[in-house]
C-alpha cells in the first residue's frame, strides 16, 4: 500500500533527472511483499492427507464404490452470465471424471436449458420462514453440500438464495457438511466500511459467521481475498480463472465506439496508449510508470509528424483512483519529462477501465510487481483486441509468447520497450504485424486460465471431500481430457436465443428497482417477525388429540435445519435429540431430558436417530400412551417417501382391524435407496455403506452379546428372496413389540460400543468408515430392526407411501429353517436383560459400560429392594409418628403453675353470697 507522505516525496523526486533510475531499478522495492497465501488452508490439507496415509493401529476399511459422488451447485438464479459459463465448464469436466451434479436455484432462468443439456437436473428452492429452505442437504451424504453462487445480488435482493443456504448450512444437522462459497465481486467488501460507520454490527457478525461456516471460500483472483480480509478465518483460497473479462468485452464491443471517444475527451483518430498496472497501490508504482513514460518519450520526436496539429497523441495512466494525490503526481512526472500539456492523463481505474481500454490503440503493462496470476486487466485488453506490451514477468511469460500474441520486454532494460514501440507504431498507426499479433492475442485471451479454473476446482474437491465407502473415487484433476478444460463453454450461448444480452442486468427482471427498503430495514423486520412468531405461537392440541388414537409416529430431529420437514398433524410428534434447536410452541419430546445419555454429544452423534428409540422406551408410559408406535425420519419427508393421507388411513385401518397381527410395517425400502443402485443383498449393502466391515462388526457384537466363542463366524441369515428391507427408520409396530426390540437393541448397541468406543472416542476413527466419522454406529443401527423383525417371527409388511397398498415381505412360511428364534425370543432376551440389570444394580464398576445408560434397570432384585425400602420407609414413618404422639402426651401431662393463690372470704361474706345466689335462682324459676 502507498504510505502517507509517499506522494509528496514523489513530487519532490520527479523534478530531478530520471535517467539514473535505470541503474538502481533492481535495488528498489516493487511490492514483492504484497501476496496472498492460503497458509492455514494448505496446512490443513496436508495434515488431513498425512492422517489418511498414516498407519495407526485401528482396523481399516475398504471402499466398495458402486455409486458416483454427487455435487450440488447452488445459484441465486439461472440468468445467463459469466458465472454460469464458468460453472458449466467446471461442471462438465467434473462429470467427465466421475461426479454427478444437481443444480439448485431460487428462481428459474434461461440457463436452465444449459444444465439440462449437460445432464444435470435443476430444482427450484422455495425459501420460507426467514431464510430457512426445504432442501435435505444430507442427500449428498458425507460428500458435499455444494458451492453457493457469488454474492453479486447481495444488496439488491431480499435474502438471496446464497444467504438462505448459508443460514441453513449453519444449522444442525447440516453444520458438519462441506460447503464452498465462490465470490466473484467486491460489492460486499465495498459496503463493509458503511456497515461499520452505521453501527450495523449484527449484519457484520452474521456475515462473519456465514464466511466462517464455509469449508473454503473461493476467489477468482488474488485481490478479492484481500478486500474481504475482515472475514478471513483461514479458509480463503484462490482458483484463478473466469470468463468475465471476455464476456464483458464482447458485450461492450457492440456499443457505439464514437460515444466512448467523446466520453473520454478524445477524437476518433487520436493515437492512444493506455498504461495499466497492478490492482495494488504500492510505493514503487509511481516509479514504474515514470520509467514507462520515459520510454514513450521518443514518440514525441521520432514517431510523431512535425505538424502535431494534424495528429492527436494521448497517454492514459490507468491506475489508482481520483481521490488521492496520484493525479498530481502523474502531472508532475509528465511535466518533468517535458510532455506537452494534455498528452498524459490520469484516469481512475475503478470508474473508467472499459472506456479507457476501448479507446486505446495499444496497452502497456507498467507494473513490475511479480503477482501470483496473470493480470485480469491484460486479459480484458487482449479481449478488446488491443496490442499488449508487458515486462517479461514469470506470470506473464506463461501466457504471452513474445511477438506472437503480445510483446515482452525485460524490466531491467527499459530501452527495449522504446525499441518495441518504434517497431509497432509508425506515423500514429499500428503496423500490420502489430494488428496480427493483437488478433492472435484476442483468441488467446478468450479462454485464458480455463485450464487453471477447471483443474483448480477438481483439486479442491480432492482435498476437501471425504467420500463414504459406497462412493467411487473420481479421477484426479490431471486426468481431465483437454477438450473439457482448454476453453470455456461458450457454445452454451448458442442453446439460448439472444443469450448474448440476456444477462442479469439487462433482460431479467430488475430486482434492484423494487422498493424493498434498505438491507438494515429488511434485517430488522425479519428478526422482529421471527421473534414474534416464536414468542406468540401457542401450544397445539396435539397431545389431547393423540390420546384416543391407536398410533403415534415420532419424528426424530436435530437442529433447526430439519424443521421444515416435520409434520404438524396429531398423528405425528417431534422428538428433539438435543434441547438446543427444539421447535418452540409445540409439544415435541425432549429426548435428552428423558435420557441423559443423549446430553453427551459423542453418543448423540454416534447413535443418530436411533437414540430416539431409547429415549421413548425409557419409562415409556410417561410419554407414550398409544397401543402402537411408529417412527419416521425427517429425511424421508425430504425425499418424498413420507406417508400420504391415503397411506396413513390404510395403516390406521390395518392396525384397528388387526389385519396382520403383530406386524412390522415400513414404507422406505432398501431396493430403492440411492445408496444401493446395484440392488445388493442385505449384508452386501450393509458392508458397502460401512467400509466393508458391517458383517465383521455385527458378528463381533453378536458374539459378545450372547457370549459365543470367538471362532464362531456365522451371521443371522438375511436371504435375498426377491423381497426388500426397511431403511431410514420409517416404520411402525405394536408398542409392546417396540419395547421388546429396544430390549434387544440396548444389548446389541452396548456390545457394538464395547469394541469401538476406545479408538473412536480417542481418534475419531472407527473401522465402519474410511475417514473420521462421528456417526460411526448409525449406518449399522439403521438396518438392525430388519434382523430383529425377521428372526423374531414378526410379519413384515411394506406400505406404499403413495397408494397405501400393502405387501408382505419375507413370508413366515418361507422363513422356516432360516430364523434364529432361540436368539431372538422374548424369554431369551428377558433373561439376558435381567442378568445385565442385576450386574448393574449390584456392582459399582468403574469401567466404561454403555448399557446401564440406555434405559431402565429392572430385575427381580430391584423389586425386592424396592419392597424392603418401602418397609423401611413405613417403619421410619411409624417411628416418627409414635415419637410425635409421645411428645404431645408428655407435654399435656405436666400441670401448669397457678398465676396466684385463691383466698377464701370470711363466713359472713360467704352467707351473703349464698343468699343472693338462692334469690336469683328463685326468680328465674318463677319466670
Amino acid at each position: 500500500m502507498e504510505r502517507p507522505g509517499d506522494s509528496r516525496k514523489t513530487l519532490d523526486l520527479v523534478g530531478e533527472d530520471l535517467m539514473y533510475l535505470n541503474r538502481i531499478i533492481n535495488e528498489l522495492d516493487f511490492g514483492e511483499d504484497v501476496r496472498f497465501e492460503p497458509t492455514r488452508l494448505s496446512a490443513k490439507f496436508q495434515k488431513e492427507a498425512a492422517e489418511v496415509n498414516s498407519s495407526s493401529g485401528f482396523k481399516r476399511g475398504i471402499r466398495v464404490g458402486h455409486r458416483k459422488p454427487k455435487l450440488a451447485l447452488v445459484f441465486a438464479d439461472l440468468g445467463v452470465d459469466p458465472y454460469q459459463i464458468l460453472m458449466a465448464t467446471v461442471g462438465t469436466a467434473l462429470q467427465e471424471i466421475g461426479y454427478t451434479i444437481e443444480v439448485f436455484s431460487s428462481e428459474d432462468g434461461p440457463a436452465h436449458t444449459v444444465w439440462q443439456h449437460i445432464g444435470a437436473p435443476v430444482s427450484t428452492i422455495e425459501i420460507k420462514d426467514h431464510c430457512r429452505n426445504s432442501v435435505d442437504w444430507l442427500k449428498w451424504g458425507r460428500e458435499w453440500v455444494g458451492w453457493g453462487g457469488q454474492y453479486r445480488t447481495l444488496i439488491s435482493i431480499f435474502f438471496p438464495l446464497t444467504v438462505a443456504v448459508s443460514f441453513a448450512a449453519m444449522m444442525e444437522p447440516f453444520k458438519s457438511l462441506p460447503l464452498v462459497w465462490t465470490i466473484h465481486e467486491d460489492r460486499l467488501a465495498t459496503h463493509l466500511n458503511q456497515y461499520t460507520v452505521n453501527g450495523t454490527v449484527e449484519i457484520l457478525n452474521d456475515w462473519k459467521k456465514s464466511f466462517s461456516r464455509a469449508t473454503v471460500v473461493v476467489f477468482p483472483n488474488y485481490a478479492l481475498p484481500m478486500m474481504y480480509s475482515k472475514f478471513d478465518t483461514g479458509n480463503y483460497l484462490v482458483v484463478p480463472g473466469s470468463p468475465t473479462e471476455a464476456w464483458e468485452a464482447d458485450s461492450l464491443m457492440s456499443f457505439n465506439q464514437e460515444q466512448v471517444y467523446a466520453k473520454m475527451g478524445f477524437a476518433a483518430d487520436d493515437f492512444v496508449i493506455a498504461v495499466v498496472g497492478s490492482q495494488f497501490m504500492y510505493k514503487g508504482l509511481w516509479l514504474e510508470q515514470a520509467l514507462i513514460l520515459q520510454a514513450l518519450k521518443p514518440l514525441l520526436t521520432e514517431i510523431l509528424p512535425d505538424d502535431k496539429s494534424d495528429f492527436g497523441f494521448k497517454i492514459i495512466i490507468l491506475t489508482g483512483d481520483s481521490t488521492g494525490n496520484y493525479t498530481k503526481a502523474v502531472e508532475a512526472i509528465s511535466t518533468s519529462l517535458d510532455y506537452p500539456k494534455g498528452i498524459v492523463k490520469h484516469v481512475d481505474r475503478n470508474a473508467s477501465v472499459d472506456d479507457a481500454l476501448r479507446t486505446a490503440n495499444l496497452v502497456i503493462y507498467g507494473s513490475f510487481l511479480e503477482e501470483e496470476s496473470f493480470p485480469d486487466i491484460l486479459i480484458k485488453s487482449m479481449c478488446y483486441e488491443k496490442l499488449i506490451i508487458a515486462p517479461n514477468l514469470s506470470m506473464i511469460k506463461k501466457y504471452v509468447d513474445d511477438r506472437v500474441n503480445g510483446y515482452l520486454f525485460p524490466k531491467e532494460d527499459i530501452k527495449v520497450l522504446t525499441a518495441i514501440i518504434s517497431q509497432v507504431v509508425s506515423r500514429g498507426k499500428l503496423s500490420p504485424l502489430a494488428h496480427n499479433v493483437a488478433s492472435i492475442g484476442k483468441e488467446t485471451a478468450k479462454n485464458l486460465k480455463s485450464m487453471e479454473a477447471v483443474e483448480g476446482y477438481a483439486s479442491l474437491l480432492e482435498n476437501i471431500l471425504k467420500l463414504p465407502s459406497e462412493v467411487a473415487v473420481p479421477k484426479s484433476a490431471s486426468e481431465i481430457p483437454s477438450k473439457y478444460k482448454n476453453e470455456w463453454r461458450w457454445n452454451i450461448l448458442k442453446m439460448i436465443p439472444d443469450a448474448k444480452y440476456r444477462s442479469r442486468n439487462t433482460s431479467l427482471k430488475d430486482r434492484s428497482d423494487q422498493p424493498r427498503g434498505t438491507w438494515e430495514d429488511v434485517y430488522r423486520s425479519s428478526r422482529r417477525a421471527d421473534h414474534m412468531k416464536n414468542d406468540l405461537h401457542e401450544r397445539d392440541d396435539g397431545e389431547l388429540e393423540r390420546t384416543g388414537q391407536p398410533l403415534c409416529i415420532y419424528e426424530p430431529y436435530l437442529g433447526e435445519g430439519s424443521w421444515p420437514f416435520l409434520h404438524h398433524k396429531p398423528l405425528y410428534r417431534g422428538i428433539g435429540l438435543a434441547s438446543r434447536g427444539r421447535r418452540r410452541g409445540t409439544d415435541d419430546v425432549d429426548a435428552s431430558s428423558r435420557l441423559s445419555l443423549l446430553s453427551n454429544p459423542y453418543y448423540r452423534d454416534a447413535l443418530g436417530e436411533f437414540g430416539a428409540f431409547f429415549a421413548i422406551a425409557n419409562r415409556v408410559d410417561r410419554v407414550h400412551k398409544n397401543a402402537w408406535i411408529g417412527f419416521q425420519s425427517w429425511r424421508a419427508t425430504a425425499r418424498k417417501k413420507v406417508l400420504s393421507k391415503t397411506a396413513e388411513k390404510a395403516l390406521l385401518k390395518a392396525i384397528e382391524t388387526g389385519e396382520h397381527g403383530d406386524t412390522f410395517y415400513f414404507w422406505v425400502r432398501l431396493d430403492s435407496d440411492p445408496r444401493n443402485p446395484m440392488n445388493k443383498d442385505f449384508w452386501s449393502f450393509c458392508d458397502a455403506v460401512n467400509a466393508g466391515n458391517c458383517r465383521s462388526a455385527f458378528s463381533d457384537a453378536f458374539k459378545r452379546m450372547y457370549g459365543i466363542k470367538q471362532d464362531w463366524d456365522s451371521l443371522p441369515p438375511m436371504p435375498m428372496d426377491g423381497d426388500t428391507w426397511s431403511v431410514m427408520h420409517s416404520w411402525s409396530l405394536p408398542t409392546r413389540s417396540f419395547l421388546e426390540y429396544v430390549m434387544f437393541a440396548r444389548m446389541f448397541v452396548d456390545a457394538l460400543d464395547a469394541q469401538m468406543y476406545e479408538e473412536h472416542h480417542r481418534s475419531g476413527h472407527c473401522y465402519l468408515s474410511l475417514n473420521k466419522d462421528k456417526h460411526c454406529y448409525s449406518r449399522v443401527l439403521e438396518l438392525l430392526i430388519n434382523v430383529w423383525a425377521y428372526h423374531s417371527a414378526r410379519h413384515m409388511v411394506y406400505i406404499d407411501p403413495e397408494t397405501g397398498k400393502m405387501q408382505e415381505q419375507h413370508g413366515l412360511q418361507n422363513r422356516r429353517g432360516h430364523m434364529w428364534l432361540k436368539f431372538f425370543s422374548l424369554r431369551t432376551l428377558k433373561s439376558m436383560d435381567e442378568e445385565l440389570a442385576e450386574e448393574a444394580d449390584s456392582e459399582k464398576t468403574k469401567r466404561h459400560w454403555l448399557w446401564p445408560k440406555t434405559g431402565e434397570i429392572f430385575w427381580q432384585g430391584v423389586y425386592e429392594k424396592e419392597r424392603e425400602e418401602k418397609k423401611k420407609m413405613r417403619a421410619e414413618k411409624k417411628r416418627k409418628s409414635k415419637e410425635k404422639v409421645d411428645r404431645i402426651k408428655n407435654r399435656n401431662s405436666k400441670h401448669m403453675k397457678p398465676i396466684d393463690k385463691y383466698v377464701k372470704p370470711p363466713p359472713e361474706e360467704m352467707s351473703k353470697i349464698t343468699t343472693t345466689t338462692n334469690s336469683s335462682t328463685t326468680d328465674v324459676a318463677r319466670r
Side-chain angles (χ1 to χ4, degrees), residues 491-549:
N491 61 320
I492 69 175
L493 300 178
K494 300 178 182 178
M495 306 174 193
I496 306 170
D498 301 326
K500 183 175 182 180
Y501 304 110
R502 296 187 65 178
S503 66
R504 194 175 274 107
N505 296 325
T506 55
S507 65
L508 293 174
K509 181 173 61 174
D510 189 357
R511 294 170 293 195
S512 60
D513 294 337
Q514 300 179 20
R516 301 186 186 275
T518 65
W519 176 265
E520 290 79 5
D521 294 338
V522 170
Y523 182 87
R524 284 193 294 268
S525 299
S526 65
R527 281 292 179 93
R528 190 182 307 112
D530 207 19
H531 287 309
M532 290 178 62
K533 181 193 68 173
N534 295 332
D535 294 339
L536 301 180
H537 186 29
E538 297 180 356
R539 293 177 61 90
D540 56 24
D541 297 326
E543 188 172 358
L544 295 175
E545 296 180 21
R546 292 188 197 97
T547 304
Q549 64 188 26

Side-chain angles (χ1 to χ4, degrees), residues 671-717:
D671 53 5
S672 62
D673 194 292
R675 298 169 295 175
N676 191 26
M678 301 177 67
N679 196 17
K680 290 180 174 290
D681 65 89
F682 181 86
W683 289 117
S684 296
F685 170 79
C686 190
D687 271 341
V689 297
N690 287 284
N693 288 318
C694 172
R695 298 179 213 236
S696 174
F698 195 99
S699 178
D700 291 345
F702 204 75
K703 288 185 289 186
R704 183 185 295 266
M705 176 180 172
Y706 287 96
I708 304 174
K709 295 180 180 179
Q710 290 299 318
D711 57 354
W712 189 77
D713 58 356
S714 298
L715 281 172

Side-chain angles (χ1 to χ4, degrees), residues 244-300:
T244 301
E245 288 74 23
W247 168 280
E248 292 178 350
D250 187 54
S251 301
L252 292 174
M253 285 296 287
S254 60
F255 291 93
N256 193 325
Q257 186 77 2
E258 294 182 359
Q259 293 180 357
V260 178
Y261 276 102
K263 182 179 179 181
M264 294 297 297
F266 301 152
D269 57 351
D270 284 349
F271 188 84
V272 181
I273 297 178
V275 179
V276 300
S278 172
Q279 284 184 275
F280 306 109
M281 292 292 293
Y282 52 92
K283 62 184 179 182
L285 185 58
W286 67 269
L287 171 59
E288 297 164 349
Q289 292 171 350
L291 294 172
I292 298 298
L293 288 176
Q294 184 184 23
L296 295 178
K297 191 175 179 180
L299 284 175
L300 296 173

Side-chain angles (χ1 to χ4, degrees), residues 586-623:
T586 66
D587 65 338
D588 291 353
V589 179
D590 183 1
S592 60
S593 66
R594 292 194 50 77
L595 189 68
S596 59
L597 176 69
L598 298 181
S599 298
N600 184 338
Y602 173 82
Y603 281 109
R604 186 168 60 234
D605 291 332
L607 296 175
E609 294 180 356
F610 203 90
F613 306 160
F614 293 159
I616 294 295
N618 188 35
R619 295 176 174 84
V620 64
D621 292 335
R622 299 184 181 182
V623 65

Side-chain angles (χ1 to χ4, degrees), residues 410-443:
K411 70 176 184 179
E412 297 83 5
D413 190 359
I414 203 69
K415 295 180 180 179
V416 177
L417 173 59
T418 305
I420 293 173
I421 295 294
S422 64
Q423 295 174 17
V424 299
V425 181
S426 176
R427 298 187 64 81
K429 293 184 179 180
L430 289 178
S431 66
L433 177 60
H435 279 292
N436 185 52
V437 171
S439 178
I440 298 175
K442 180 179 180 180
E443 292 301 316

Side-chain angles (χ1 to χ4, degrees), residues 283-382:
K283 62 184 179 182
L285 185 58
W286 67 269
L287 171 59
E288 297 164 349
Q289 292 171 350
L291 294 172
I292 298 298
L293 288 176
Q294 184 184 23
L296 295 178
K297 191 175 179 180
L299 284 175
L300 296 173
T301 56
E302 298 179 8
I303 301 177
L304 296 180
D306 294 336
D307 185 4
K308 295 185 177 67
S309 61
D310 297 330
F311 175 66
F313 175 44
K314 304 293 182 183
I315 299 176
I316 302 174
I317 305 297
L318 191 64
T319 188
D321 55 50
S322 58
T323 60
N325 294 325
Y326 210 87
T327 300
K328 296 180 180 179
V330 170
E331 292 175 354
I333 294 172
S334 62
T335 302
S336 177
L337 293 173
D338 297 328
Y339 274 94
K341 187 176 182 180
I343 288 184
V344 179
K345 180 181 180 181
H346 173 240
V347 175
D348 182 358
R349 170 173 173 157
N350 297 326
S352 307
V353 59
D354 289 290
D355 293 339
L357 293 179
R358 289 181 62 191
T359 59
N361 296 86
L362 66 86
V363 176
I364 300 175
Y365 191 72
S367 175
F368 301 158
L369 171 63
E370 269 291 6
E371 297 188 39
E372 298 173 87
S373 65
F374 192 81
D376 292 342
I377 196 167
L378 277 187
I379 298 177
K380 181 169 287 189
S381 301
M382 297 168 73

